Amino acid sequence: LLRRPGSASKDVVTGRLKNPFVKVEDRSRRYRPFYLQFHIFPALNYCVPKPCSPFEMEKKLPSAPKQRFVASINKPNSDKDCGTPLHLPQKDKKRRGYCECCGKKYEDLHTHLESEQHQTFAHSTEYRVVDEIISKFVYQFVEYKDDANKPKRTKCST
Amino acid sequence: TAGMKKDIERLYEAVPQLVNVFKIKEKIGEGTFSSVYLATAQLQTGYEEKMALKHLIPTSHPLRIAAELQCLTVAGGQDNVMGVKYCFRKNDHVVIVMPYLEHESFLDILNSLSFEEVREYMFNLFKALRRIHHFGIVHRDVKPSNFLYNRQLKEYALVDFGLAQGTPDTKIELLKTAHSEDQQGSCLQNNPTTPLGNGVSVNVTVPKQIAQQSASKPADKKVISHSKIQMKEGREGKEGSVHHSVQRSVFGERNFNVYSSTYQQNSSTKVIKHSKMIDVSSRKLLTKKKIIATKTLSNGTARKAASGFSLNLICDCYATDKVCSVCLSRCQQVAPRAGTPGFRAPEVLTKCPTQTTAIDMWSAGIIFLSLLSGRYPFYKASDDLTALAQIMTVRGSRETIQAAKTFGKSVLCTQVVAAQNLRTLCEKLRGTNSSCKRSQDEVPSKSVSDSTSPAAVDKSCAPETLGKQIQHLKSFQEGDGALEMKAADMKGWDQVPDEAYDLLDKLLDLNPATRITAKEALQHPFFKDMRP
């Protein structure tokens, strides 16, 4: 359902949310509202056996209605896919994410870690802040001898 | 498994210092940002001890790693907060060594815990929270899997500060950052495609020129041109996947700014820090942009954002069932939301920029709700607004809307749902109320229990009385025929005192400002005979 209200400016396009929905907006009105329209509003279900959530969908009927988003809620980066794909036992080789060190996304964790940019960071002095904390720890371990003799003390060389 | 063996091998390779020090036995946990291994080490004291080795994902920023270590060293090691034994690093690979606490699976023991064990569990959780909150740490991810519990030893440990943030007055040096005085919205593209209801989406296209001009034009004259309407199949939305529930906090913005959304700027000039936010599969980074001064317009602030634009235009949609190209073209508010969906407080779900240690208390309330109701996870939602709707069905829609106002949020909900009585709710879900059929593992045997257990107490039973009753039950259990009785034993669940639900009510306070603190919780009558 769309309408063009004569109120604001003439090119404003308005949409109406369908019941039932929840809409949230900051009272400053400086930010984009976000909302969700439900096929069925959540309800407590006492029939699901313990220890399941009372909001557990009834044994996924094939006709079970699915909820839909109508706004790219909490997707500040709309060029992103909608959430992460449902990965089956995830191949270690297909781990995508964001590298805080390099400030960039990567499609494959392992490949990124091997990249020149990341390796440069990995060998940089940026980790001093970590080493400083490490230097305050007391090393209390004894090395296991490779050939299972009695343990010998190690020199603390970090 | 072969996979695990390979992981262990790789860890030894990445951090060779581990080789002769640890016998790594197995992988005992895997999260988005770390893997945890069980290992043994020979200590100089002569004992061989079990250790937990936490291998952080090498993409973690050194400052984040250091902050986590600092939380462990400063706050950890007592009051049920996990401490740290040592830390190894080679390049970008960091391994944190912690004492190992063998622990139960929450789900496995949930419905076999006695009421008294639940009381002890909560008491010990509050001890840990009181401690970290005292240091100005907001944990952000309080949930059973981060609160290790050894039932036999009655030992507890709050773990994982990987998502922690500092309060404005935090005592953890590395959780401090310069306070930005304004919470940012972020517009990340020039052409946001905004699906509207009914599979209709609005394409808001604002040419750069116009966007720039708008900064110097009165906002009410602004016209969004090139608006298009497209028919579009509504997207199936999910923020984060069900499997990857953790969304990491905005890095570089780990502090909570003290901006109040109701605060009105009166000065004619305002300094705004611009930031660009990138959100990639559960990790976010905030890069500070240069400070730009913009004029405050009489009817709202027009801003240019790092990429694209931001117009603070008023439209008629506020608090109605409408959305339009004006309000949908505004920046999204950025607020921390790291954590696990079902445990997020309402102020987190509604993107309140000022979040306090109270968010951890809400999470503790959710754990308590699970313990009292025998349901875990209690809430099951893959997105924030579904989670909010589920909270409404328990705490009431009117109450939720009311509370949200106090922290600057307008919540509109078409469904009017009444607040539940917490006792009734929990007893119904647990199956300990009279009007409910018992689950199979709770079939009362004969009438032994009925004749010997104390009569149901008056609703207004004092904790003292309760204490006595528990004692009575205990001594009764230890008497002859204890085995026979045990099957019939309700483990205290037939006499949950009002204090339990009163505390639950105060933990699940929808208003973070009045929500009970950890310190106050320890003083609550529910724990009357326990020593903090």
Side-chain angles (χ1 to χ4, degrees):
Chain A
L1 203 94
L2 284 169
R3 44 187 211 102
R4 290 165 180 270
S7 56
S9 53
K10 51 185 177 230
D11 279 342
V12 173
V13 185
T14 305
R16 226 177 240 282
L17 300 174
K18 258 184 30 189
N19 272 5
F21 69 84
V22 169
K23 179 187 170 192
V24 179
E25 185 172 354
D26 195 81
R27 294 181 73 195
S28 69
R29 307 201 198 182
R30 298 194 305 157
Y31 304 102
R32 177 172 164 172
F34 51 107
Y35 47 89
L36 178 60
Q37 296 167 93
F38 299 89
H39 275 265
I40 298 167
F41 197 85
L44 282 158
N45 181 352
Y46 295 99
C47 301
V48 265
K50 278 196 295 185
C52 292
S53 166
F55 297 99
E56 186 81 66
M57 284 301 199
E58 286 293 357
K59 279 303 151 224
K60 316 277 188 295
L61 298 160
S63 59
K66 288 183 139 184
Q67 285 163 7
R68 272 192 188 174
F69 263 106
V70 280
S72 41
I73 292 170
N74 271 321
K75 280 255 167 281
N77 210 19
S78 316
D79 67 354
K80 251 353 271 160
D81 45 304
C82 301
T84 31
L86 301 185
H87 14 231
L88 306 157
Q90 199 186 27
K91 263 264 164 79
D92 193 55
K93 282 270 167 278
K94 273 278 164 264
R95 287 173 63 187
R96 53 145 55 117
Y98 180 82
C99 181
E100 292 177 338
C101 303
C102 306
K104 65 195 260 189
K105 0 176 186 176
Y106 54 83
E107 283 307 307
D108 173 54
L109 177 66
H110 190 71
T111 309
H112 175 75
L113 295 180
E114 299 296 299
S115 74
E116 198 187 332
Q117 184 186 7
H118 186 84
Q119 277 304 310
T120 304
F121 189 97
H123 289 84
S124 74
T125 56
E126 295 274 350
Y127 289 88
R128 269 194 196 149
V129 62
V130 177
D131 294 340
E132 219 165 284
I133 295 173
I134 292 178
S135 69
K136 296 193 181 82
F137 289 124
V138 181
Y139 187 87
Q140 16 174 356
F141 307 103
V142 180
E143 282 199 14
Y144 290 112
K145 280 282 288 217
D146 270 346
D147 31 4
N149 283 345
K150 57 172 189 275
K152 63 151 199 197
R153 286 192 168 233
T154 47
K155 289 178 204 79
C156 185
S157 53
T158 316
Chain B
T1 60
M4 197 198 286
K5 275 232 157 60
K6 196 139 182 76
D7 285 339
I8 292 172
E9 255 170 64
R10 280 208 202 106
L11 181 56
Y12 278 128
E13 249 170 76
V15 190
Q17 304 97 297
L18 304 176
V19 173
N20 290 319
V21 178
F22 296 99
K23 288 177 184 163
I24 303 175
K25 310 281 184 195
E26 55 174 328
K27 191 188 249 190
I28 51 172
E30 180 155 26
T32 319
F33 308 114
S34 65
S35 299
V36 182
Y37 298 84
L38 170 63
T40 56
Q42 185 84 34
L43 294 187
Q44 289 169 3
T45 55
Y47 293 103
E48 184 174 78
E49 274 187 36
K50 282 182 176 174
M51 306 274 171
L53 306 187
K54 181 176 178 175
H55 180 212
L56 305 178
I57 191 168
T59 56
S60 304
H61 196 280
L63 281 169
R64 183 190 293 282
I65 298 167
E68 179 168 0
L69 281 169
Q70 204 165 61
C71 287
L72 290 163
T73 53
V74 176
Q78 55 174 290
D79 283 350
N80 306 327
V81 182
M82 179 55 79
V84 55
K85 282 217 173 288
Y86 202 74
C87 181
F88 293 90
R89 175 178 89 85
K90 192 195 171 196
N91 303 334
D92 51 346
H93 289 271
V94 175
V95 174
I96 301 174
V97 183
M98 291 169 280
Y100 175 70
L101 174 61
E102 200 163 333
H103 54 276
E104 325 291 335
S105 143
F106 189 78
L107 193 58
D108 291 351
I109 58 160
L110 179 57
N111 281 291
S112 71
L113 291 169
S114 69
F115 176 69
E116 187 53 23
E117 283 174 311
V118 164
R119 211 163 69 102
E120 288 163 5
Y121 180 103
M122 290 309 296
F123 185 78
N124 282 285
L125 174 58
F126 293 135
K127 264 167 86 167
L129 291 176
R130 179 185 58 187
R131 180 156 178 94
I132 66 161
H133 293 170
H134 168 79
F135 286 101
I137 299 167
V138 182
H139 186 283
R140 291 209 70 95
D141 202 18
V142 173
K143 57 180 177 184
S145 53
N146 282 333
F147 188 58
L148 312 184
Y149 170 45
N150 184 309
R151 194 174 180 177
Q152 265 199 301
L153 301 172
K154 292 204 186 295
E155 280 185 21
Y156 309 82
L158 180 65
V159 301
D160 196 353
F161 291 94
L163 295 173
Q165 285 183 298
T167 57
D169 61 345
T170 185
K171 299 186 179 78
I172 308 296
E173 211 55 43
L174 288 162
L175 290 180
K176 285 179 187 167
T177 48
H179 278 227
S180 53
E181 93 298 347
D182 190 3
Q183 183 65 43
Q184 284 303 298
S186 67
C187 277
L188 290 147
Q189 37 174 10
N190 287 316
N191 308 333
T193 295
T194 314
L196 289 171
N198 252 342
V200 177
S201 67
V202 176
N203 229 328
V204 188
T205 314
V206 181
K208 212 171 180 170
Q209 279 183 316
I210 294 177
Q212 277 168 356
Q213 286 165 16
S214 70
S216 56
K217 263 192 204 169
D220 58 347
K221 291 273 166 65
K222 183 74 197 88
V223 167
I224 301 212
S225 49
H226 304 275
S227 292
K228 284 180 263 180
I229 303 168
Q230 306 180 315
M231 290 308 290
K232 215 178 172 183
E233 196 42 51
R235 276 193 302 167
E236 195 59 49
K238 272 206 181 87
E239 350 152 315
S241 75
V242 191
H243 314 279
H244 273 256
S245 52
V246 180
Q247 177 131 15
R248 202 132 185 189
S249 48
V250 179
F251 183 68
E253 211 209 24
R254 38 176 71 249
N255 61 311
F256 298 110
N257 57 59
V258 257
Y259 166 75
S260 144
S261 55
T262 50
Y263 172 72
Q264 288 301 315
Q265 277 277 0
N266 288 319
S267 61
S268 59
T269 320
K270 191 172 169 187
V271 173
I272 293 158
K273 276 189 193 149
H274 281 292
S275 40
K276 184 181 179 186
M277 208 165 89
I278 305 158
D279 178 3
V280 188
S281 66
S282 85
R283 275 219 182 188
K284 294 177 178 179
L285 185 92
L286 196 81
T287 49
K288 297 227 162 31
K289 289 275 168 175
K290 60 171 181 265
I291 291 163
I292 302 167
T294 54
K295 284 205 175 126
T296 304
L297 303 165
S298 54
N299 50 0
T301 314
R303 289 198 253 154
K304 247 173 70 188
S307 60
F309 70 107
S310 160
L311 302 161
N312 292 296
L313 300 172
I314 302 297
C315 63
D316 301 332
C317 302
Y318 184 76
T320 69
D321 64 349
K322 290 177 293 181
V323 285
C324 70
S325 47
V326 173
C327 55
L328 292 179
S329 68
R330 291 187 208 135
C331 289
Q332 300 195 56
Q333 187 162 24
V334 179
R337 47 186 297 278
T340 308
F343 293 88
R344 287 184 193 140
E347 65 270 26
V348 180
L349 300 173
T350 56
K351 294 196 198 179
C352 180
T354 47
Q355 296 171 19
T356 66
T357 51
I359 71 170
D360 290 341
M361 296 307 288
W362 174 275
S363 304
I366 300 296
I367 297 178
F368 197 22
L369 183 59
S370 275
L371 290 165
L372 293 173
S373 66
R375 307 306 185 113
Y376 178 74
F378 190 89
Y379 290 121
K380 208 173 170 69
S382 53
D383 65 87
D384 286 350
L385 291 185
T386 299
L388 188 68
Q390 291 180 357
I391 288 171
M392 286 183 189
T393 63
V394 173
R395 305 298 279 153
S397 53
R398 263 196 49 239
E399 292 82 350
T400 307
I401 292 163
Q402 242 359 80
K405 264 191 198 157
T406 68
F407 51 83
K409 295 290 168 184
S410 150
V411 177
L412 188 62
C413 178
T414 53
Q415 202 85 0
V416 180
V417 274
Q420 300 287 317
N421 172 294
L422 293 172
R423 176 187 286 274
T424 312
L425 171 83
C426 292
E427 287 180 350
K428 263 168 102 175
L429 288 169
R430 180 171 263 286
T432 41
N433 63 330
S434 47
S435 65
C436 190
K437 58 172 168 52
R438 295 183 195 280
S439 61
Q440 286 205 316
D441 57 343
E442 281 184 6
V443 177
S445 69
K446 308 288 178 304
S447 54
V448 198
S449 58
D450 301 330
S451 53
T452 49
S453 58
V457 262
D458 181 35
K459 275 265 163 71
S460 57
C461 121
E464 245 177 323
T465 330
L466 174 87
K468 285 200 187 108
Q469 271 158 3
I470 288 167
Q471 286 212 308
H472 175 267
L473 268 174
K474 274 189 178 152
S475 57
F476 168 70
Q477 279 170 37
E478 281 146 20
D480 293 328
L483 272 178
E484 225 175 298
M485 300 301 172
K486 278 234 164 73
D489 187 14
M490 289 291 291
K491 293 180 175 173
W493 289 106
D494 50 340
Q495 8 213 336
V496 178
D498 286 340
E499 285 77 9
Y501 298 107
D502 179 72
L503 175 58
L504 180 61
D505 181 56
K506 290 179 161 83
L507 290 164
L508 299 181
D509 185 340
L510 296 157
N511 181 351
T514 53
R515 196 174 299 149
I516 198 167
T517 66
K519 206 171 159 184
E520 290 162 352
L522 290 166
Q523 302 296 327
H524 191 277
F526 181 57
F527 301 120
K528 199 175 175 186
D529 52 338
M530 296 177 121
R531 298 232 127 269

